[in-house]
Amino acid sequence: MSHTAIASILLTLLQSTADAKWVQLVKTTYNSADNQTRDWESAVRRTRPKGSLIDGVGIVTILEKPNGPELLLQKQYRPPIDKVVIEVPAGLVDEGETAETCAVRELKEETGYVGKVMEGSLGVTPIMFNDPGFCNTNLNMVHVTVDMKDSRNQNPQPETEENEFIECFSVPLAQLYEECRRLEEQGFAIDARVGTLAEGIEIAKKWKIS
């Protein structure tokens, strides 16, 4: 049985900012468009490296298979929503690390696959903000291809940390939207990055964008 299948919440307590390691709650006073002084409550991530413009990366990993490209996905339990979430590989940047270097490193650590960042403008996206009305967290999406003929990718072995319980699987890229629907019906939560990618593919199909 997988670790993600048996994870569950035992207790939830309110936590003070002083005790928090990863986030901080702030209240911002600002002057709005109607010239009124207003307050806004939000969260700030404490882990962004000095000098970095981003907190981390999301990795769109394309497995190059004979029957067509497949997207590498993960199942990972997330306590804030008490669900196993369907995600793309992702991780926080280290100090002095580029988005490209971070993506290749995190992909190897979480999945065992050795990938290559796509060339051109699709390689690294503009900086994206996950939920700007709530938190300052942001990232670059990095698009990576995995050569399945490479001997290093024949039997990939993850190098996850002790507290990481991740299951990897892949889905034909053309069927991603349908698979997201199916997984949601099974009780999984769909990460916004996966759902948005699936939606974009369906929009491209409907409007015949190539």
Side-chain angles (χ1 to χ4, degrees), residues 189-202:
I190 308 300
D191 183 270
R193 286 161 287 191
V194 175
T196 301
L197 177 61
E199 181 184 7
I201 293 171
E202 289 305 295

Side-chain angles (χ1 to χ4, degrees), residues 58-72:
I59 310 162
V60 177
T61 308
I62 305 299
L63 306 182
E64 299 176 322
K65 294 194 173 183
N67 294 329
E70 295 189 8
L71 178 67
L72 181 65

